[in-house]
């Protein structure tokens, strides 16, 4: 099973990297030291932890055979998004489950642009389906470093999160990471984004000499009208590597756009 999943992941990575034609591109290189690190979560104490959480609400309805169906919805229009690494790196505007499911920790992230700076604010929330409670347990924030900007308006940022460098951009709907499949941990190298204003992918920074690669893809705003209307598609390719002549690891980014 491990081998088959690796073949699937490898084929997907190759397809994304090779089979996307481009009409415009921009390439930049940034040193790893220029990327800020997300601090550890600051524990939250009551009453802040148990009051209403900004950017997320829970709605419930009757489910199957006496159960209840709960849905956590984020304020995507205000820059909020839920993330989970279960089954891959998932970015979600909604998260739904039944009352019989186990409690789960989720990250409620918000991308904020203010006074010329871009920050990612993170609130760790504990969602317990047994009573539909949503509790904030920790909070942190990091200033994002811009690592690429294309003529078409695609802006790419990055921050460090533990062993990873997370590459972030807006309007993403899918992506792929070059990490190994771990079936036992339900960890797969795919990025999904549903209804979120932004999303990201993880570059493993532990062994930059071996190199690591991610790709994010999405749509730009439509152009033209009538039969001339097209929706350009963009692709962000990012890699982290270090060769002998480099004083430190470097992040290379290329943005490609096609109509």
């Amino acid at each position: 099973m491990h081998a088959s999943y690796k073949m699937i992941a490898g084929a997907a990575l190759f397809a994304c990297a090779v089979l996307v034609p481009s009409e415009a591109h921009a390439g930049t290189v940034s040193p790893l030291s220029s990327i800020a690190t997300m601090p550890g979560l600051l524990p939250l104490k009551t009453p802040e932890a148990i009051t209403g959480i900004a950017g997320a609400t829970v709605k419930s309805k009757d489910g199957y055979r006496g159960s209840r169906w709960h849905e956590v919805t984020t304020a995507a229009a205000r820059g909020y998004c839920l993330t989970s690494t279960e089954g891959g790196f998932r970015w979600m505007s909604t998260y739904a489950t039944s009352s019989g499911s186990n409690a789960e920790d989720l990250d409620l992230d918000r991308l904020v642009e203010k006074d010329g700076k871009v920050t990612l604010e993170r609130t760790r929330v504990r969602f317990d389906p047994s009573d539909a409670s949503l509790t904030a347990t920790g909070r942190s924030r990091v200033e994002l470093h811009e690592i690429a900007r294309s003529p078409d308006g695609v802006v790419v940022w990055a921050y460090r999160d533990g062993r990873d460098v997370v590459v972030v951009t807006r309007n993403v709907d899918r992506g792929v990471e070059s990490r190994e499949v771990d079936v036992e941990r339900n960890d797969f190298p795919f990025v999904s984004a549903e209804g979120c204003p932004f999303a990201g992918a993880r570059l493993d920074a532990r062994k930059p000499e071996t190199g690591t690669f991610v790709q994010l893809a999405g749509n730009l705003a439509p152009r033209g009208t009538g039969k001339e209307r097209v929706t350009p598609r963009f692709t962000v390719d990012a890699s982290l590597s270090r060769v002998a002549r480099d004083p430190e690891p470097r992040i290379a980014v290329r943005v490609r756009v096609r109509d």
Side-chain angles (χ1 to χ4, degrees):
M1 182 175 290
H2 285 276
S4 62
Y5 275 116
K6 287 183 179 180
M7 289 177 64
I8 293 171
L13 183 63
F14 178 82
C16 288
V18 176
L19 301 181
V20 181
S22 62
E23 292 187 357
H25 68 275
T28 60
V29 176
S30 302
L32 183 60
S33 60
S34 67
I35 310 302
T37 299
M38 171 76 78
L41 292 165
L42 180 66
L44 299 178
K45 300 179 180 180
T46 56
E48 181 180 9
I50 60 176
T51 56
I53 298 174
T57 57
V58 181
K59 293 184 179 180
S60 303
K61 62 181 180 181
D62 291 336
Y64 184 65
R65 291 186 176 180
S67 66
R68 296 281 287 171
W69 185 253
H70 308 303
E71 186 172 272
V72 182
T73 302
T74 65
R78 293 194 286 129
Y80 287 95
C81 183
L82 286 168
T83 69
S84 172
T85 56
E86 182 71 20
F89 203 3
R90 296 184 294 149
W91 301 73
M92 307 165 285
S93 60
T94 60
Y95 176 82
T97 189
S98 70
S99 56
S101 300
N102 295 326
E104 184 175 0
D105 289 320
L106 300 168
D107 285 333
L108 178 65
D109 289 352
R110 188 187 189 192
L111 193 68
V112 180
E113 295 189 55
K114 185 178 180 180
D115 299 329
K117 296 182 179 180
V118 180
T119 59
L120 186 77
E121 298 178 351
R122 171 167 296 162
T123 303
R124 179 69 51 81
V125 295
R126 182 75 171 175
F127 179 50
D128 190 345
S130 66
D131 59 3
S133 62
L134 195 65
T135 306
T137 61
R139 183 166 293 134
S140 185
R141 62 175 52 88
V142 63
E143 183 175 342
L144 303 186
H145 175 75
E146 183 178 308
I147 57 176
R149 180 182 292 263
S150 80
D152 303 88
V154 179
V155 183
V156 186
W157 301 279
Y159 68 96
R160 299 195 67 170
D161 189 8
R163 72 183 193 184
D164 299 320
V165 173
V166 185
V167 177
V168 178
T169 191
R170 295 186 183 276
N171 302 316
V172 172
D173 56 36
R174 69 192 66 179
V176 66
E177 302 173 323
S178 60
R179 59 182 58 241
E180 291 187 4
V181 174
D182 190 329
V183 178
E184 282 75 18
R185 294 177 56 191
N186 196 24
D187 188 8
F188 300 95
F190 302 110
V191 177
S192 62
E194 300 177 359
C196 286
F198 62 96
R202 299 162 294 179
L203 291 163
D204 191 336
R206 290 176 298 176
K207 296 181 179 180
E209 64 277 3
T210 63
T212 182
F213 172 87
V214 299
Q215 188 174 86
L216 295 169
N219 292 330
L220 295 174
R223 300 172 181 169
T225 58
K227 294 182 179 180
E228 302 300 321
R229 182 183 174 90
V230 296
T231 301
R233 184 121 180 116
F234 73 85
T235 304
V236 174
D237 302 310
S239 63
L240 175 67
S241 63
R242 182 179 186 177
V243 297
R245 66 176 180 273
D246 292 334
E248 64 173 299
R250 304 190 305 170
I251 301 172
V253 182
R254 180 177 62 164
V255 181
R256 299 180 287 167
V257 177
R258 64 182 176 89
D259 290 335

